[in-house]
Amino acid sequence: MSIESYGGNPDIVAAREEIQRVAFEIKLCAEELTAWPALETLLSDPIHQLKFRIAAIGIEQKLHRLHTHCILAAENYFTIEAQIQRRFEITFVPELARIISQLIIGPGWQVDRNVKADLVSEQISRKPSSISTILDRLWELSSKDQPTVGIDLLENSAGSKTAIVYIPGTQSFSFGDGSNPLDMASNIQAMGQANQAASEKAVLLAIGQAGISSKDEVIFVGHSQGGMVAGNLAANPIGFISAGLITFGAPLAQLRNLKVPVMAVEHVNDPVPNLSGKTNPLKKNWVTIQRLSNKSESNAVMFSHSLKSYKNTSVEIDSSSDVGVKNIKSQLLQKVEGTKPSKSFEFRISRAFR
C-alpha cells in the first residue's frame, strides 16, 4: 500500500467546519435570490426586472453548484483525516499518564533520581540527504546492545551548529527498576508531561555534553518512545533552538504547540501512535504520513512497529509528490543544506538510583 498524508500544505489549512461555513453562506445567497420579493418594482421598471429575473435563474443554478462542490471538496480532502478519526478521541490519556507518574513515586517504588549519558563513540558526522538516510542512522543506533543516543553535528558558515539528535524506542518492559531508561516508566512519564521521563532527562544531558549551545539548531528524530521524547524536547527547548521533528511510530497528537516542521510517520496497523488518544492536528507545519505495512516486511512480533518496516515507508516518502510531504521534507532537509560534517557522538544513557 502506498503512503497517504494530510497536513503540511500551507495552501490548504482550513478545517472542514470552515469549508462548510462557506458552503452555508453560498446556500443562503441562493435562497435569498430565489425569494426576491420585487413584484412592485416589476410594475415600475418591467424591462430591467425581467432581465434581472432571467439572469437570476442562471446565477441561482451556479450558486447551488458551488455549494455542492464545496461539500464535495471538503469530503474529498478530508478523506484521510476521516480515516484517522477511526481512533477514539480519548482526551484524558495524557492526564491519566500524569496521575500514574505520580503513583510511580509512591511508597515501595524505586525511582530514578539521577541519569547518565556516557560518551562511547566520537567520529565524523554524515550529512543526511533524505528521510531514508535519516531512518538508517536511527536504525543503526536502535540496533545497539545498550541504550544509545546519537548526536550528529553539522557546521554552518555563520559559526553556529545544526545538530540531529536520534532517540531509539522502548527497549525494556521494566517500570523504573532497571538501569535502561528507555522503559515503560519513561513511556508513561513522557506521555504525561515534558521533562519527567528518565530517558528525556538523559537525552537532554547528552545534548549539553555534545557542546550544543543556545544559538544552535536541533532537529529531533525518534522511534516509538524516542518519538515522544523527541516531541517533548522539540516543544520545550532548553539551551538550544528547536528546528524540526521527525517521528516513526510515535504517539504525538498530545503535543499541540509544536511550531517547528513536523513529520509524523505512522503505519495504519501500528497501535503505538494511537496511544495518545487523539488525532494529529491538521496544520501547515505538520504532515502526518500513513501506510499499511505488511507482515512480510519484518519478522518482529509487532511487525508494523518495527523500523525495518518503517524503512520501506521512508523510501516512499522520498519519492512522494504529495505537496504536504514535499513541503515538510524540504523544510527539514534545508536545515542541513550548506553545512559541513563535524562530529558525531554516541552516548550510552542510563538510570541511576540513590
Side-chain angles (χ1 to χ4, degrees), residues 10-282:
D11 296 325
I12 310 175
V13 296
R16 176 190 281 117
E17 290 77 10
E18 178 63 15
I19 298 176
Q20 289 178 334
R21 184 191 69 79
V22 174
F24 180 70
E25 293 292 339
I26 292 173
K27 186 177 181 182
L28 284 180
C29 289
E31 290 175 351
E32 283 194 33
L33 190 61
T34 303
W36 179 258
L39 180 60
E40 64 280 2
T41 57
L42 181 61
L43 296 176
S44 62
D45 190 3
I47 295 177
H48 287 95
Q49 283 299 319
L50 285 172
K51 288 182 178 179
F52 168 76
R53 287 180 176 276
I54 292 171
I57 295 173
I59 295 172
E60 181 187 354
Q61 291 174 347
K62 289 180 179 179
L63 286 172
H64 279 300
R65 284 198 297 270
L66 280 171
H67 172 260
T68 302
H69 291 162
C70 272
I71 298 299
L72 289 174
E75 294 304 318
N76 287 337
Y77 177 73
F78 284 93
T79 298
I80 302 303
E81 189 190 22
Q83 176 189 349
I84 306 299
Q85 290 286 0
R86 76 192 186 285
R87 305 178 186 173
F88 295 104
E89 288 278 338
I90 309 174
T91 56
F92 60 81
V93 169
E95 289 74 13
L96 180 61
R98 281 193 285 272
I99 293 172
I100 295 174
S101 296
Q102 293 302 315
L103 293 176
I104 288 177
I105 63 175
W109 286 79
Q110 280 187 303
V111 181
D112 51 290
R113 300 298 183 187
N114 293 326
V115 292
K116 296 192 298 181
D118 298 315
L119 180 64
V120 295
S121 174
E122 179 178 337
Q123 300 179 27
I124 302 298
S125 62
R126 293 168 289 176
K127 185 167 66 173
S129 58
S130 64
I131 301 301
S132 181
T133 55
I134 288 174
L135 185 137
D136 287 341
R137 176 68 169 135
L138 178 62
W139 192 357
E140 174 190 350
L141 292 160
S142 301
S143 302
K144 293 185 178 294
D145 294 334
Q146 299 294 325
T148 306
V149 170
I151 300 180
D152 292 351
L153 302 182
L154 302 166
E155 293 182 354
N156 299 307
S157 57
S160 59
K161 297 185 288 290
T162 296
I164 307 177
V165 177
Y166 297 88
I167 313 170
T170 304
Q171 297 179 351
S172 170
F173 289 100
S174 65
F175 281 86
D177 54 350
S179 61
N180 191 336
L182 292 168
D183 63 357
M184 297 305 292
S186 287
N187 272 325
I188 295 171
Q189 291 171 315
M191 175 65 73
Q193 63 188 91
N195 201 30
Q196 294 296 313
S199 54
E200 187 174 330
K201 294 176 182 178
V203 172
L204 196 57
L205 185 61
I207 289 173
Q209 292 182 13
I212 296 172
S213 70
S214 59
K215 66 179 182 179
D216 298 327
E217 292 190 330
V218 179
I219 298 171
F220 290 95
V221 181
H223 170 235
S224 194
Q225 178 186 150
M228 271 201 300
V229 169
N232 284 344
L233 292 170
N236 304 277
I238 301 175
F240 56 85
I241 300 170
S242 182
L245 174 64
I246 304 172
T247 65
F248 300 92
L252 210 60
Q254 69 278 7
L255 299 172
R256 298 282 169 160
N257 63 331
L258 285 163
K259 298 179 175 60
V260 298
V262 178
M263 179 177 285
V265 186
E266 308 173 348
H267 286 156
V268 175
N269 47 344
D270 182 355
V272 176
N274 296 337
L275 295 178
S276 64
K278 300 180 180 180
T279 301
N280 290 348
L282 176 69

Side-chain angles (χ1 to χ4, degrees), residues 2-14:
S2 60
I3 63 172
E4 294 180 313
S5 68
Y6 71 92
N9 187 344
D11 296 325
I12 310 175
V13 296

